[in-house]
Amino acid sequence: WLPQVKGGVRKKSGLAHRKSLNDSLEGEVKAFLLDEGQLHTYDDLTKVNPVTPTTVLKCLQARYRAKVFYTHAGCTLVALNPFQPVPDLYSLDVMKEYHCAPQPQESKPHIFIVAEEAYRNVQGQVEPVNQSLVVSGESGAGKTWTSRCLMKYYATVAASSSLMKSQDTVERIEKRVLDSNPIMEAFGNACTLRNSNSSRFGKYIQLQLNRSQLLVGASVQTYLLEKTRVAGQPANERNFHIFYQMMTGGSDEQRSEWKMSHDQRFAWLPNAEKTLEEDCFDETVEAMVHLGINAEKQGHIFRILAGLLQLGNVTFCSAMDESQPCDLEEKSKDFMHRCASLLCVPVEELQTCLRVQTLRAGKQSALFKPCSLADCSVRRDCLAKVIYAQLFEWLVTFINDSICADHSTWCNFIGLLDVYGFECFQVNNLEQLCINYANEKLQQHFVAHYLKAQQEEYVSEGLEWSFVKYQDNQGCLDLIEGIPTGVFSLLNEECLLNRASDAKQFRVRLEKELSDNGSMSWDKFSKQPHFTVAHYAGKVSYQIEGMMEKNKDPVPPELIHLLQKSENPLLHQLFADRDPVGQGTRGLRQVVTVVSKFKNSLENLMKILHSTTPHYTRCIKPNTDCRPLTFKKEEVIMQLEACGIVETIHISRRMVCIVQKKKSVAVSLSDRVYLPPAAVRSWLVRRAVRRWHRAAIVLQRSWRKWRVSRSPAEDLQEAMPTELDPILRARGSVQLSSIQDPVMVRGWPMGLALASAPTITVSMTATGFQKMMSVMACLNEHCFRSGDYKVETNQFKQGVASIRAQPRGSIKLHYQRSPLLYADLHPDHKRDGVTGLNQILLEST
């Protein structure tokens, strides 16, 4: 009985201790919240004490009421959406203020601080490092607006053509980069229940900088356009902005050309009476002009879009004879003729492709099968989706061709990532699964880069550190992308089977294979087949019906054949090189699913992000109704907990750097120096540089000893090629200019090799002005001190200030003061060349 008594005592003691701690923490929270008038002054949440969800929430609420929308949270900037214009918050003067500030971090929190920190990081590194600005948050939290502000900031502070006053505005690269935004938003954004300007695709924009850190170009990578929206819009939502812009902004002449009367209504344009700020047709057209899309190409684009609207009004009815194709509704015949005229395809062929399926079996003649009423509508929607998707891809390619700089003119980039936010609707399908999967990957990137990696680094540095717990979403990712039994893998496997899709059967398969994963659950009382995933931002139920068909995304070959015959030059170009059947090299039909393409593109994006220095901005949506200056605590706290803001503050607040004369050790709290996520990195770099200097001294000392121990004759004998050894032994020197064929001289060191060759003519090629100056200085310093020789570039005699020359031989130079840690002090002349780090030290021309 005695051990049990002791155990019980210990258990009661532990409970009492925890209760005491909880009471103490609760008291501290109450004491902190008493002074409500000062809560809005906490511009950095690491200053909050104690750090709890309640104290963080109260500070953000107080700042939001005071119309302060940006707050630091350690390595992250928290941005609250005001849902109304804020005058002068993003003006040119504000940009200059943050750009010219000696210490921007000491200024008021702003998105421009994040932008400037990334810009200075590129400048301040010995070897410039690419930067990435990751803007995340729920749909409607303000990600698109934030990305737009960042692009405008860089186009202002890094403008390269602003120095050229005579340059036309249309040709300025920063203007073209900014003009890519309204075009992509017009064709890729739409009004949803949660956001009036919701991005229905993801994009990663690389702003390309030259060696002077000036903006010289940009490139855009896009991910998973929600093309299903063009042919079907959820309740109370709208189609893409561009269609409404045409309706409200097109002139009478244009509407006549588009066969679009003022009183006509379109099935694919719901809520057309709702006017938005984004319905600005003139701004889109102006941006097209600036990017080089002339009036002729614009005409082709708008005729295609108008044709899609007419196609959406086409409806079918069952034929009297089941063996015959479906009939067109009487009112749809005019819409069909208008659609065919705008797409520049024969109307008879268009009707046939929508109502008749072509079957082929090997080399046998084609068979024609009338489509069912449902299949006719599916083929109509499929035609609209494939045209719009190809048109969007063409626009992105055209934009890249217009703004992307030649690779030789830029050396680094700052990337801006703007992807769709986390989504949860009443009905969620494949689109929402892919969107939320992308957000899971970004959350994992944040967890791996900061919450996990930073803590492990502190421990490795010998700092006293107790790990802060955080939500790891690896289990959810394993559920979705796991191989071979993840949702994506099972979905692809189902799509490869040559059988009709069965939602109930697929649900049974999911439950059998993934029942052990705690991130998945099912509602057994639901009538519709579905599965529920516990995401980092909350649970989402996905409808299985239709998911397999969306993943296959089949396009009937006869539709592609029809579009390839179009007399619209742009529409014909979009499909000219497309294989209608999609056959591989062996004649087998290849099935590349939607989730496979999206997963591959997302993995490539993550590789880019991992190779850059990330900067995080968390956009928070204060209320779901998008009402100005309305703060709903329940909704905000869910977002803060989901993205790990409180854990981030804990880690940033406890980060310490202990400085002593010889080494860093854990000391009392009074001896600790609290530094930001940038000061620590700077200290680590300085410490690494000191190590490099010490290593360089060791290398120099060893090199001098080895150089003194060797004679010039030995150096020359080992430096020259093997076939010249007999001549060297006999004469001790050789006049290389008398040899007809060029001879490669491997000198180690170069001065000793050339000292034994009194008459030598050498031509060399060096790229870069600084490198050429270093070569000439090396030769003058080490090889020609006697004054009998001179070094010059052969172009100077002709008066041409060029440093390139056609080489007749080759010289490998060794720079003695190398900062590298390891080097081969005794290179072997018998090898084909110098390998390892010495290869970096030598220049081969």
Side-chain angles (χ1 to χ4, degrees), residues 290-321:
H290 290 166
L291 286 171
I293 303 178
N294 56 30
E296 182 182 7
K297 281 191 174 65
Q298 291 179 33
H300 298 325
I301 293 172
F302 296 134
R303 284 178 64 88
I304 293 173
L305 296 176
L308 297 184
L309 291 180
Q310 300 291 347
L311 180 63
N313 282 0
V314 174
T315 55
F316 305 91
C317 60
S318 300
M320 298 296 294
D321 186 354

Side-chain angles (χ1 to χ4, degrees), residues 711-734:
S711 64
E714 291 175 335
D715 276 334
L716 182 63
Q717 183 174 352
E718 293 190 2
M720 293 303 180
T722 328
E723 60 269 21
L724 296 180
D725 281 352
I727 304 177
L728 293 176
R729 292 192 187 95
R731 298 179 54 184
S733 64
V734 62

Side-chain angles (χ1 to χ4, degrees), residues 456-516:
E456 292 177 349
E457 183 178 350
Y458 302 153
V459 174
S460 67
E461 291 295 331
L463 304 180
E464 285 188 350
W465 188 265
S466 58
F467 274 79
V468 175
K469 294 183 178 180
Y470 54 86
Q471 182 180 353
D472 193 345
N473 64 336
Q474 187 59 51
C476 182
L477 284 171
D478 292 339
L479 171 71
I480 299 175
E481 66 180 5
I483 298 176
T485 57
V487 174
F488 281 174
S489 297
L490 296 175
L491 188 60
N492 286 338
E493 183 179 322
E494 188 72 19
C495 293
L496 292 176
L497 299 176
N498 188 19
R499 66 184 184 191
S501 302
D502 189 330
K504 293 183 179 179
Q505 184 177 354
F506 185 64
R507 181 202 177 280
V508 172
R509 179 83 190 279
L510 288 175
E511 190 170 2
K512 176 183 178 182
E513 298 289 349
L514 300 172
S515 58
D516 294 337

Side-chain angles (χ1 to χ4, degrees), residues 528-540:
Q528 295 293 335
H530 78 288
F531 60 92
T532 301
V533 177
H535 293 283
Y536 76 93
K539 291 186 177 182
V540 180

Side-chain angles (χ1 to χ4, degrees), residues 158-172:
S160 57
S161 57
S162 60
L163 303 176
M164 304 174 64
K165 301 298 183 182
S166 62
Q167 192 172 15
D168 193 277
T169 305
V170 175
E171 298 177 355
R172 293 172 58 178

Side-chain angles (χ1 to χ4, degrees), residues 152-330:
K152 189 175 182 180
Y153 182 84
Y154 288 123
T156 301
V157 304
S160 57
S161 57
S162 60
L163 303 176
M164 304 174 64
K165 301 298 183 182
S166 62
Q167 192 172 15
D168 193 277
T169 305
V170 175
E171 298 177 355
R172 293 172 58 178
I173 181 61
E174 61 270 17
K175 176 63 176 173
R176 296 204 303 271
V177 170
L178 290 179
D179 281 332
S180 65
N181 257 340
I183 296 178
M184 288 191 293
E185 289 187 16
F187 284 83
N189 289 22
C191 177
T192 66
L193 289 173
R194 309 187 68 181
N195 185 5
S196 62
N197 190 31
S198 176
S199 297
R200 308 317 301 163
F201 70 107
K203 64 177 180 287
Y204 184 69
I205 303 175
Q206 290 185 344
L207 302 177
Q208 300 159 345
L209 307 175
N210 63 11
R211 294 188 181 278
S212 301
Q213 308 308 319
L214 299 179
L215 181 66
V216 295
S219 66
V220 182
Q221 302 175 36
T222 60
Y223 307 92
L224 193 67
L225 173 71
E226 188 191 26
K227 60 184 180 183
T228 55
R229 181 170 292 268
V230 74
Q233 305 77 38
N236 299 319
E237 295 192 0
R238 300 207 317 175
N239 209 323
F240 292 106
H241 292 323
I242 185 62
F243 294 108
Y244 300 91
Q245 292 180 3
M246 293 172 61
M247 288 284 290
T248 59
S251 64
D252 291 340
E253 181 182 356
Q254 287 174 319
R255 293 179 70 100
S256 176
E257 181 184 354
W258 301 336
K259 304 184 185 302
M260 186 186 296
S261 60
H262 285 279
D263 59 348
Q264 186 176 3
R265 296 293 178 262
F266 296 100
W268 287 349
L269 284 190
N271 303 303
E273 70 284 352
K274 184 178 181 179
T275 58
L276 298 177
E277 179 185 351
E278 289 75 20
D279 297 340
C280 187
F281 184 63
D282 292 337
E283 183 181 355
T284 302
V285 172
E286 183 182 1
M288 286 181 167
V289 173
H290 290 166
L291 286 171
I293 303 178
N294 56 30
E296 182 182 7
K297 281 191 174 65
Q298 291 179 33
H300 298 325
I301 293 172
F302 296 134
R303 284 178 64 88
I304 293 173
L305 296 176
L308 297 184
L309 291 180
Q310 300 291 347
L311 180 63
N313 282 0
V314 174
T315 55
F316 305 91
C317 60
S318 300
M320 298 296 294
D321 186 354
E322 294 183 356
S323 63
Q324 297 299 315
C326 293
D327 294 327
L328 287 175
E329 295 278 3
E330 189 62 30

